[in-house]
Amino acid sequence: MNDLALHAARLRALPPSCGPVRLIAVDGHAGSGKSTFAGRLATALGDAPVLHLDDLATHQELFAWTGRLREQVTGPLSRGEPARYAPYDWTARAFGPVRTLEPAPVILIEGVGAGRRALRPLLARLLWMDLGAAESWERGRRRDGPALRSFWDGWTAAETAHFSADPSRPWADALVRQLPMGYEWRERSVGQRR
């Protein structure tokens, strides 16, 4: 199915999962198209807010952002309060000015590890960008260019270790694949998940 408006309507109809919010995770390998897809889905949802996990991760803590997410984002949202977080500046290697994320009917969280074990109980849906690691990483390396080659070498090792210990794909409610025009969205039944 290639109609994001139809899927957006179904997501809006889900019961809230984190206080008053329907938290929708978009997970997948680095370079798989998560950010682009999340942006398009957010538009289909009437400009739903998108939290990028790159804003919570750091050079030293590529995947150790769970505590920051809980304290600054999901904790407040679960109480119906605004989330306040300081996005990480990957160039300056420091956290920047605080941003506010108001509770909304639907909020998208996109990034590698968005469907991790610690976050799954708060999710209304987990969507997985269904593109293999090697192809995703090649796309990411082309996008970022040779200046980030050493970063990518370290990243791929860290991502492999993360998904070995805490895989998201087996728990995904839907597999999403980018097509030349639009997206293929394959729903998974409970029996198809882990």
Side-chain angles (χ1 to χ4, degrees):
M1 172 80 54
N2 196 11
D3 184 357
L4 286 185
L6 174 63
H7 294 294
R10 290 179 178 158
L11 294 175
R12 279 192 300 270
L14 293 170
S17 59
C18 180
V21 176
R22 290 149 191 86
L23 209 53
I24 310 298
V26 178
D27 202 341
H29 298 289
S32 63
K34 295 177 304 302
S35 297
T36 300
F37 172 72
R40 291 180 181 160
L41 182 57
T43 298
L45 285 160
D47 295 322
V50 180
L51 175 69
H52 302 280
L53 290 176
D54 284 351
D55 288 344
L56 297 178
T58 69
H59 282 90
Q60 295 76 30
E61 299 176 315
L62 295 176
F63 292 98
W65 41 257
T66 307
R68 228 179 340 274
L69 179 71
R70 182 178 50 252
E71 292 163 20
Q72 299 175 8
V73 180
T74 60
L77 291 177
S78 70
R79 297 185 299 271
E81 300 169 1
R84 290 184 179 80
Y85 66 98
Y88 184 70
D89 182 325
W90 287 84
T91 303
R93 293 179 175 250
F95 288 101
V98 171
R99 290 185 189 162
T100 300
L101 177 62
E102 296 289 340
V106 178
I107 294 178
L108 302 174
I109 294 185
E110 77 79 23
V112 178
R116 69 188 332 165
R117 184 180 304 112
L119 191 51
R120 283 195 293 264
L122 300 173
L123 299 178
R125 296 287 276 172
L126 169 54
L127 310 177
W128 176 266
M129 295 304 295
D130 204 25
L131 187 66
E135 189 176 352
S136 296
W137 295 338
E138 179 57 34
R139 284 175 49 169
R141 286 176 185 269
R142 274 196 315 270
R143 174 194 67 207
D144 293 345
L148 292 178
R149 181 178 300 145
S150 64
F151 175 81
W152 269 96
D153 292 345
W155 172 267
T156 56
E159 183 181 309
T160 298
H162 167 72
F163 281 135
S164 291
D166 191 357
S168 299
R169 189 182 188 279
W171 302 97
D173 298 296
L175 305 178
V176 179
R177 182 173 278 276
Q178 188 173 0
L179 302 173
M181 296 278 296
Y183 294 90
E184 174 188 42
W185 183 304
R186 292 179 310 178
E187 294 287 335
R188 299 174 76 207
S189 67
V190 173
Q192 293 173 305
R193 287 179 251 150
R194 190 149 189 121

